[in-house]
Amino acid sequence: MDGRFANSRKILVTLLSGFLILLHVAGLWDTFKSGDLISADIYANIQSLLSVAIIISLLLVILGKKFGLVSMWASITALVLTQYGAHFGFYDAAFTEGRSAFSYLRGFMFPTAITLLYQFPKS
């Protein structure tokens, strides 16, 4: 039973991490395809770099590296903080229209689940 639970835990971590990787790759692809990557302002470039950092950190999590969790939390927290910066008017971004200040906290749901699953006792 313990072996099955450990395998299930690994599968869930991989699925959740894979979903977030896919989400960030799709966002980067849209930015690249629209041509905004080269002509974008510094805010969009920072967001793109943070997405790359998130992708790399999630790959480390999938590979079972503990540093992956730390880098995942650091990069996702940095991304959420830049979104708060845009929300409170430090940067000009269209995605803030009509959004609650609490809506950006949703970015922490999957990392929390990944961390709980990753840290669950293995035996």
Side-chain angles (χ1 to χ4, degrees):
M1 186 72 168
D2 289 335
R4 251 190 339 190
F5 179 72
N7 287 337
S8 298
R9 186 179 55 80
K10 287 178 188 178
I11 290 169
L12 284 172
V13 166
T14 302
L15 286 175
L16 292 173
S17 298
F19 175 75
L20 287 178
I21 289 170
L22 182 64
L23 181 74
H24 286 280
V25 167
L28 286 172
W29 178 254
D30 285 343
T31 303
F32 178 73
K33 191 171 72 171
S34 67
D36 288 342
L37 191 62
I38 296 170
S39 64
D41 59 350
I42 189 124
Y43 177 75
N45 288 329
I46 290 171
Q47 292 265 311
S48 296
L49 285 174
L50 289 172
S51 286
V52 170
I54 290 169
I55 291 166
I56 292 169
S57 67
L58 288 168
L59 288 172
L60 290 172
V61 168
I62 290 172
L63 294 174
K65 308 294 182 191
K66 284 219 178 209
F67 180 71
L69 284 177
V70 173
S71 59
M72 174 191 71
W73 277 103
S75 55
I76 289 176
T77 300
L79 184 69
V80 169
L81 288 176
T82 60
Q83 291 172 345
Y84 271 114
H87 182 80
F88 291 116
F90 296 112
Y91 314 108
D92 187 31
F95 68 84
T96 61
E97 294 297 320
R99 288 185 75 177
S100 165
F102 294 110
S103 67
Y104 307 105
L105 295 176
R106 289 182 295 177
F108 292 124
M109 288 189 317
F110 276 59
T112 300
I114 290 168
T115 302
L116 290 174
L117 286 168
Y118 192 88
Q119 295 298 325
F120 208 84
K122 294 179 171 119
S123 58

